[in-house]
Amino acid sequence: MVRLLVVGPPGAGKGTQAARLAEAYGIPAISTGDIFRANVRDETALGVEAKGFMDRGEYVPDSLTNALVADRLGHEDCAPGFLLDGYPRTVDQVRALDQVLADQGEKLDAVVELTVETEVVVKRILLRAKDSGRSDDADETVIRARLELFARETAPLIEVYGGRGLLVQVDAIGEIADVTDRITGALRQRGIE
Ligand code: ADP
């Protein structure tokens, strides 16, 4: 049973590491970005609403995002725990997640922060754009807007979780498998296997 968050700027490798950690711990990786993209692709009501924000590199409104996550965490597959990738990203989302967990008598075990310099992530995202086909990856202005939004809205959450003693900071530069080993090693030290 383990409940984790993965935080870090766009391009830090959250999705890649989230999938590997989910496999290692036998829990679902829940990516709000992936869920929104699937809804955009399928042209659902949520997707239609989210698309404009995403294309501009803005956050989807908290009301939509919080409802989506609250619903997802109620699914059966989250019984053994979960890993959230890309949520929470605002202080309001932290409060919403606190409430969902409190209602279920649960708490987080750790918050993994992937650290990487801005110029490295800009290069990674532009490279990724060639394969990902993501409209928010191809334009450097949008990428920089996302990074600024992260610094302004999401970086403060790292302090919040640090204050709760949950933060595990990991250098996200290097081979994918090495980064995973660093994360699982740091979590093991906290008794998370
Ligand atoms: P990245 O972190 O690399 O920018 P994601 O795939 O995690 O990419 O998210 C893509 C987009 O989806 C975000 O730029 C945002 O518009 C939307 N999104 C994802 N998660 C959230 C969230 N927790 N709150 C608001 N918007 C979100």
Side-chain angles (χ1 to χ4, degrees), residues 133-144:
R134 278 176 53 170
S135 49
D136 60 343
D137 277 354
D139 179 337
E140 190 162 336
T141 315
V142 173
I143 296 171
R144 297 220 179 253

Side-chain angles (χ1 to χ4, degrees), residues 10 14 32-33 37 54 58 60 86 89 93 128 134 146:
K14 295 187 296 292
T32 43
R37 275 188 291 279
M54 296 174 72
E58 296 168 9
V60 176
R89 287 192 202 210
Q93 293 181 9
R128 169 173 89 179
R134 278 176 53 170
R146 284 157 61 201

Side-chain angles (χ1 to χ4, degrees), residues 97-118:
L97 178 61
D98 285 344
Q99 190 61 54
V100 170
L101 294 175
D103 287 348
Q104 301 181 351
E106 297 170 352
K107 59 176 187 47
L108 293 174
D109 295 298
V111 175
V112 177
E113 181 196 2
L114 298 180
T115 63
V116 49
E117 291 99 55
T118 302

Side-chain angles (χ1 to χ4, degrees), residues 1-15:
M1 169 67 73
V2 59
R3 299 185 191 89
L4 301 173
L5 307 183
V6 178
V7 300
K14 295 187 296 292

Side-chain angles (χ1 to χ4, degrees), residues 8-12 14 31-34 36-37 50 53-55 57-62 65 69 85-90 93 125 128 134 136-137 146 149:
K14 295 187 296 292
S31 157
T32 43
D34 283 351
F36 284 132
R37 275 188 291 279
F53 298 103
M54 296 174 72
D55 285 347
E58 296 168 9
Y59 289 165
V60 176
D62 285 338
T65 312
V69 173
D85 154 17
Y87 181 94
R89 287 192 202 210
T90 65
Q93 293 181 9
I125 294 172
R128 169 173 89 179
R134 278 176 53 170
D136 60 343
D137 277 354
R146 284 157 61 201
L149 193 59

